[in-house]
Amino acid sequence: MRLADLALLVRAPAALSVPGDVIAGAVAAGRPLGARTFGVIGSSVCLYWAGMALNDYADAAVDGVERPDRPVPSGRVPRRAALAVAGGLTAAGLGLAAVAGGRRSVCAALPLAGLVWAYDLKLKSTAAGGFAMAGARMLDVLAGAVVPGSGVQPAGVALRRAAVPAALVGAHTGTLMALSRHEIGGAPVRVPAATLAVSALTALAAAVPVARSDSGSAAQGRLSSAAPSRPVAQSPAPLTGVGAAARLWQRRAAPSEGLRAAASEGLRAAASERLRAAASEGLRAAAFETLRGATSGRSRTVSAGALPALVTAGAALAYLGAYGSAQVRAMREPSAGNVRRAVGAGILGLMPLQAALIARGGSPRVAAALGVVHPLARRLARRISPT
C-alpha cells in the first residue's frame, strides 16, 4: 500500500478542518493554547482520519459502482487494510487524548469515536446519520473546552461557554450532511436553498459579539475567556431576505404541483439574491461601523479592542463567500457535480467559520493564522478530494 493511496483513503487534507474545532472550544472556555490543546487536536485528527478509512471499508460495495476510482474498490488498498487503518487510528486518537488531557479528554474522545464508528457502520443511511455527524463535530469543539490546566474554569463552566460555538459548528455540519445525500444523483432545489439559509444564519450568529472578561494577559500566554451568555451588540441585520425565504420555504408543502414549483423558484430567487446578499451586506456594514468607531488619529490605527470584531466579520464573510457561493451554484443547477463541489467547499469552508468563532472568543491573531491555512487546504483539495 503506497503512502499516496493511504492519503487518499483518509482524505488527508480534509483534516485541516479539524484543529479549528478544538481551538474554538478552547478559546471560548478560556483554556490555554498549549501542548495539551495540541495533543487533543492530534487526537481529533486521528479520529477524523479513522472515520474516513472506516467509511471506505463500509462503503466498498457501493463505491465499486458509484466511485470505482477510490482506493478500496480500485484494489489499491485491501478492504481489510482499510479496517485496520481505521482501528489503528482510533486507538491512536484515544491514546493521544489520554496523554494530553487525562480523564477529561478521554471522556470527550470516547463518545466522539463511538459516533464515528456508529455513523459509518450503521447510521449513515438513516435519518439519524446527519445528527450523528453534527454531534461528532460538536464534541470536537467541546473537547477543546475541557482541556485541563492550572487555574482554568471548572468543566461545567467551560462546556457552557463553548455551547454556542459547538452549536454553530453542528449547524454547519448538518447542512453538509443534507447536501451529501445528493452527491451522486443531484438534489431538488429546495435542499441547497435550505442549507444556504442555515449557512447565512450561522454566519450572522457567529458575528454577533459576546460579553467577555479577560482572565489573563498576552504576557502570560493565556487566552481571554469568552462567555457567550449575553450578546452585547445587535445582530448585523438586515434579515428581510431571511424572512422571505422562510415564508417561501413553508409553501413547499402545498399539494398543488404548480404552487410547489412556484415555491421552489421563489426559494431559489430569495436565497440566492436576497438571503446571502442580506447576510453579506449586514456583515460588511458591521465591519465598517466597527472600523469607523475604533480608528483614531491621523494614522487611523485600529484599536486592539476592535480587532476581534473586525476579524470575526471578515471571517464570517469569507465563510459565506467560500461555502455560500457554492450552494448558490448548486441551486441554480442542482446537478450531482455541483452538489459534490458544494460539499467539498463546505468541508473546507468550515475553517473560516472556525476563524470567526475564534476571533469572537477573543483570539483574532489565532483566527487570522487559521485563515491563512484555508487557501492552502483548498489547493491541496484539488489533488486529494475531501469528499
Side-chain angles (χ1 to χ4, degrees):
M1 182 170 55
R2 298 183 307 163
L3 187 60
D5 293 328
L6 181 61
L8 287 168
L9 177 71
V10 300
R11 326 289 199 274
L16 290 172
S17 69
V18 174
D21 288 342
V22 178
I23 296 172
V27 168
R31 258 34 183 183
L33 195 59
R36 289 180 180 272
T37 304
F38 287 109
V40 172
I41 288 173
S43 167
S44 292
V45 168
C46 286
L47 294 177
Y48 184 92
W49 281 341
M52 290 298 179
L54 187 63
N55 173 81
D56 281 16
Y57 164 81
D59 286 356
V62 175
D63 287 344
V65 176
E66 297 178 348
R67 298 178 179 182
D69 57 327
R70 279 188 169 178
V72 172
S74 67
R76 302 195 307 276
V77 175
R79 189 166 180 250
R80 288 184 178 179
L83 180 60
V85 168
L89 285 169
T90 300
L94 294 175
L96 276 172
V99 171
R103 185 174 61 183
R104 279 188 177 184
S105 293
V106 169
C107 286
L110 271 175
L112 174 56
L115 279 176
V116 168
W117 280 73
Y119 172 80
D120 282 330
L121 297 180
K122 186 68 176 178
L123 300 177
K124 183 186 303 183
S125 59
T126 71
F131 294 101
M133 270 293 95
R137 279 288 188 177
M138 292 173 70
L139 280 171
D140 225 10
V141 176
L142 298 178
V146 297
V147 174
S150 59
V152 297
Q153 295 289 342
V157 175
L159 290 173
R160 286 196 298 273
R161 289 181 169 179
V164 170
L168 294 178
V169 169
H172 168 83
T173 306
T175 67
L176 280 177
M177 300 310 301
L179 288 170
S180 67
R181 291 181 178 272
H182 304 277
E183 287 185 274
I184 303 302
V189 70
R190 68 177 181 271
V191 174
T195 60
L196 178 60
V198 174
S199 298
L201 290 171
T202 299
L204 288 171
V208 175
V210 293
R212 292 196 300 114
S213 61
D214 293 334
S215 60
S217 66
Q220 295 171 322
R222 298 183 56 84
L223 301 172
S224 61
S225 63
S229 58
R230 180 174 59 89
V232 296
Q234 292 183 344
S235 173
L239 294 177
T240 306
V242 176
R247 289 191 295 273
L248 287 166
W249 174 247
Q250 291 172 350
R251 298 178 193 171
R252 68 182 175 85
S256 165
E257 190 64 34
L259 284 176
R260 193 155 48 216
S264 296
E265 288 302 314
L267 273 170
R268 184 187 306 215
S272 61
E273 301 302 330
R274 293 184 183 178
L275 181 57
R276 182 167 168 265
S280 298
E281 187 60 33
L283 289 169
R284 288 193 194 96
F288 177 77
E289 288 299 322
T290 302
L291 181 61
R292 187 173 64 176
T295 53
S296 60
R298 293 182 180 179
S299 62
R300 309 298 287 175
T301 302
V302 179
S303 67
L307 187 59
L310 288 171
V311 176
T312 300
L317 279 170
Y319 167 68
L320 278 181
Y323 187 30
S325 59
Q327 292 175 90
V328 169
R329 285 192 294 272
M331 280 194 304
R332 291 174 177 169
E333 186 183 343
S335 64
N338 279 344
V339 172
R340 198 155 46 242
R341 281 186 283 273
V343 173
I347 291 173
L348 298 179
L350 176 59
M351 296 174 72
L353 176 61
Q354 293 164 340
L357 295 171
I358 292 168
R360 177 181 187 261
S363 269
R365 290 174 179 81
V366 177
L370 188 63
V372 171
V373 175
H374 181 230
L376 172 63
R378 294 179 65 178
R379 190 172 294 118
L380 290 173
R382 296 191 188 108
R383 297 189 176 187
I384 300 177
S385 173
T387 64

